[in-house]
Amino acid sequence: MMEGLQTDDTVISLSNITKNYQMAQHSFCALDNINLIIKRNEYVAITGPSGSGKSTLMNVLGCLDNPSCGQYLLERNDVASQSEAQLAKIRNVGVGFIFQSFNLLPKASVLINVMQPLVYRVMPNAKRKQMALKALERVGLSDKVDNLPNQLSGGQRQRVAIARALVTNPAIILGDEPTGNLDSKTTADIMALFDQLHSQGHTIILVTHEAEIAQHCHRVIRLVDGKIDSDVMNNKEVAYA
Ligand code: ADP
Ligand code: MG
């Protein structure tokens, strides 16, 4: 059903993706037969009630977790057929992941945190530093490079996390409730930053349960009980059939 609609600018294609969590006595279906195509430079919100499968879907998209069945093509590569080394590379270079809780190293400076995704790369340390400084400049934090995370505001911490996701210049940026811990003014600043990254050509996919943020994106996919309940782009329902 989906293949005919894939075009050159397809970055993400999910066909019949299902995720079952195996429990002691039973299995729980967190994603139920998801079909989805996302194209380059889309700006997507994934919404839905708590427990509807949003984080599970993001973890699959970010290759942090494997689906139980179905096919995931990322930039036309079948994720299931990649070796662990290739997957590590996709996670490191292809996608940038931003979490609600920032996940920064508490005892490392802003600069060291942002250099972190580059530590496995064969390159001189001066080059890593240069790339991290550039990412920090993009998020407006050039003056905080030596601070520790606890010497920053919440919004600044999230900007460090965004710089860390950007440092490898990934085509796709995934955020799981990236403004979930921020006040409304700081949320607006962070959304302006996502707008800017979108205008620079990145594909942006954000999980949010806030209607205001969802409306800010160009496409809103709503999950209910692990299924796509609605998929609306520029106020029109997205149809694959
Ligand atoms: P959301 O992010 O939309 O709140 P999640 O994707 O985190 O939802 O979870 C979807 C459902 O899957 C929930 O019912 C949750 O309890 C269940 N779930 C998530 N992770 C696990 C896990 N590791 N083991 C078992 N069940 C899980
Ligand atoms: Mg979640």
Side-chain angles (χ1 to χ4, degrees):
M1 173 181 99
M2 310 277 291
E3 286 76 4
L5 287 131
Q6 271 189 46
T7 55
D8 278 350
D9 59 350
T10 296
V11 287
I12 283 171
S13 168
L14 302 181
S15 305
N16 306 114
I17 289 285
T18 293
K19 175 72 186 183
N20 297 311
Y21 287 115
Q22 210 51 54
M23 311 299 285
Q25 300 296 325
H26 65 288
S27 116
F28 180 83
C29 180
L31 294 176
D32 186 0
N33 209 28
I34 300 277
N35 289 296
L36 181 61
I37 285 176
I38 294 176
K39 303 202 172 208
R40 198 168 305 288
N41 202 213
E42 277 200 50
Y43 196 170
V44 183
I46 296 177
T47 72
S50 174
S52 57
K54 304 181 297 293
S55 293
T56 303
L57 178 59
M58 290 300 261
N59 290 339
V60 168
L61 293 178
C63 303
L64 301 172
D65 201 0
N66 295 315
S68 308
C69 53
Q71 188 186 49
Y72 175 20
L73 300 178
L74 176 59
E75 307 266 9
R76 307 190 147 246
N77 299 307
D78 188 343
V79 170
S81 69
Q82 307 292 309
S83 68
E84 204 32 63
Q86 285 166 319
L87 274 181
K89 185 162 184 202
I90 291 174
R91 278 191 294 262
N92 189 249
V93 180
V95 293
F97 221 113
I98 300 154
F99 301 92
Q100 175 175 0
S101 52
F102 319 138
N103 288 3
L104 300 176
L105 303 171
K107 293 192 172 126
S109 70
V110 163
L111 181 65
I112 297 289
N113 267 283
V114 176
M115 286 166 70
Q116 197 62 29
L118 303 173
V119 294
Y120 303 106
R121 298 250 190 126
V122 183
M123 58 170 66
N125 210 46
K127 174 77 179 160
R128 292 193 189 104
K129 189 171 167 185
Q130 186 200 341
M131 289 169 74
L133 288 172
K134 190 161 167 248
L136 283 162
E137 194 184 318
R138 286 178 78 184
V139 302
L141 278 184
S142 296
D143 58 336
K144 301 289 181 190
V145 292
D146 295 323
N147 288 44
L148 294 173
N150 68 9
Q151 297 167 333
L152 298 173
S153 70
Q156 288 169 337
R157 279 180 218 174
Q158 192 56 303
R159 282 195 277 156
V160 175
I162 294 171
R164 185 185 52 189
L166 283 177
V167 74
T168 61
N169 204 28
I172 304 170
I173 295 172
L174 302 173
D176 193 349
E177 307 260 9
T179 60
N181 282 337
L182 304 175
D183 61 58
S184 57
K185 161 80 177 76
T186 314
T187 292
D189 292 345
I190 294 293
M191 289 312 294
L193 183 54
F194 282 118
D195 289 356
Q196 190 188 331
L197 296 172
H198 173 252
S199 71
Q200 290 166 352
H202 293 279
T203 305
I204 313 268
I205 307 175
L206 303 178
V207 164
T208 181
H209 59 260
E210 292 169 69
E212 209 172 312
I213 291 176
Q215 286 316 312
H216 193 89
C217 300
H218 302 172
R219 178 176 179 186
V220 182
I221 296 169
R222 182 176 159 81
L223 292 183
V224 175
D225 293 337
K227 295 188 185 71
I228 295 181
D229 180 62
S230 64
D231 185 348
V232 175
M233 188 157 16
N234 299 324
N235 302 316
K236 286 201 198 83
E237 193 77 24
V238 176
Y240 288 118

